[in-house]
Amino acid sequence: MKKFCRAVMYCIGLVILAFGIILNTKTSLGVSPIISIPYCISNIWGVNLGNATLCTYILCVVGQMLLRGKKFRYFDLLQIPMSVIFSRVINIFNDIIIINCDNLGFRLLLLAAAIILTGIGVAISVEMKFVPNAADGLTQALGERMNKGLGFAKNMIDVACVTITLLIGLTFGGKVIGIGIGTLAAVLGVGRSIAFVSMLFKKQMNALVN
């Protein structure tokens, strides 16, 4: 029964995470670093956002293979089918969520909600200890390879994503795409949101896992 509840909670976490990510993109204030690359590609070449996200996540799995070498587990390849499902959920939310409002205050409220939801989604999906999100898996692999904490590795991944997004946007689109105050807010706020949710519900989530 516990395994079933964990699976349900894991799926709920992924859905909340996808909703938070898409809500962030709809604010037009800048998207979170990891989604900035597929968002930029989608805007320049008209590629479906979910498909661009899937390709990015597959590259994250390849990155884990390179970083871990012989320590890479075949179990981690399950991140690819999970990324397929996750990218389809992203497509669904991207299609149904339409926001036409230029009010800055309203968009800032949406941004705050998006950051909180993203943090909730990450906290739930990670604490259930199922297949990790490909981006989180890459962060863990980098932290292990560098013998640094996850926080440091997350900062490295964020900086790399923003840099790549800027290069793609300026080179192929002639402008900055997807990077803005919302990106900085996501970098600073998602981690705090994750920590807050974990603090409030860690005991309940641990009860499902242990």
Side-chain angles (χ1 to χ4, degrees):
M1 186 63 181
K2 276 191 175 184
K3 288 183 178 180
F4 175 75
C5 291
R6 279 174 62 197
V8 170
M9 288 300 297
Y10 175 77
C11 292
I12 290 174
L14 288 183
V15 171
I16 294 174
L17 174 58
F19 182 62
I21 287 173
I22 291 302
L23 193 61
N24 196 332
T25 68
K26 299 296 181 176
T27 64
S28 299
L29 294 173
V31 302
S32 58
I34 191 62
I35 206 69
S36 65
I37 297 175
Y39 181 81
C40 184
I41 291 172
S42 177
N43 274 268
I44 293 174
W45 288 292
V47 179
N48 179 282
L49 180 59
N51 292 340
T53 301
L54 174 60
C55 292
T56 303
Y57 276 21
I58 289 175
L59 289 176
C60 286
V61 177
V62 173
Q64 293 174 53
M65 295 175 68
L66 295 174
L67 287 169
R68 287 192 166 128
K70 293 181 179 180
K71 293 182 180 179
F72 182 80
R73 304 170 301 174
Y74 288 109
F75 173 80
D76 289 328
L77 289 174
L78 290 175
Q79 293 174 48
I80 294 177
M82 288 308 302
S83 295
V84 172
I85 298 171
F86 184 68
S87 62
R88 298 314 97 186
V89 177
I90 279 182
N91 273 343
I92 292 172
F93 283 132
N94 192 43
D95 290 338
I96 65 175
I97 299 176
I98 300 173
I99 298 172
N100 296 313
C101 181
D102 293 328
N103 184 279
L104 180 60
F106 178 71
R107 287 193 289 163
L108 288 172
L109 285 175
L110 282 181
L111 177 61
I115 289 172
I116 293 170
L117 288 169
T118 300
I120 291 173
V122 171
I124 293 175
S125 59
V126 169
E127 288 294 340
M128 291 303 102
K129 294 181 172 58
F130 267 31
V131 181
N133 177 290
D136 294 332
L138 179 62
T139 301
Q140 292 172 351
L142 181 62
E144 292 168 4
R145 185 60 182 266
M146 299 180 68
N147 291 319
K148 298 286 186 179
L150 286 179
F152 180 81
K154 180 67 165 61
N155 290 337
M156 293 287 290
I157 294 293
D158 286 345
V159 170
C161 287
V162 170
T163 301
I164 293 170
T165 300
L166 289 172
L167 288 173
I168 293 174
L170 293 172
T171 302
F172 300 102
K175 60 181 179 179
V176 175
I177 299 174
I179 304 299
I181 187 175
T183 308
L184 178 60
V187 170
L188 298 176
V190 170
R192 296 301 88 210
S193 179
I194 294 171
F196 183 67
V197 172
S198 296
M199 180 184 69
L200 287 180
F201 301 106
K202 193 171 185 65
K203 185 178 293 185
Q204 292 89 332
M205 290 190 285
N206 281 340
L208 287 176
V209 175
N210 299 320

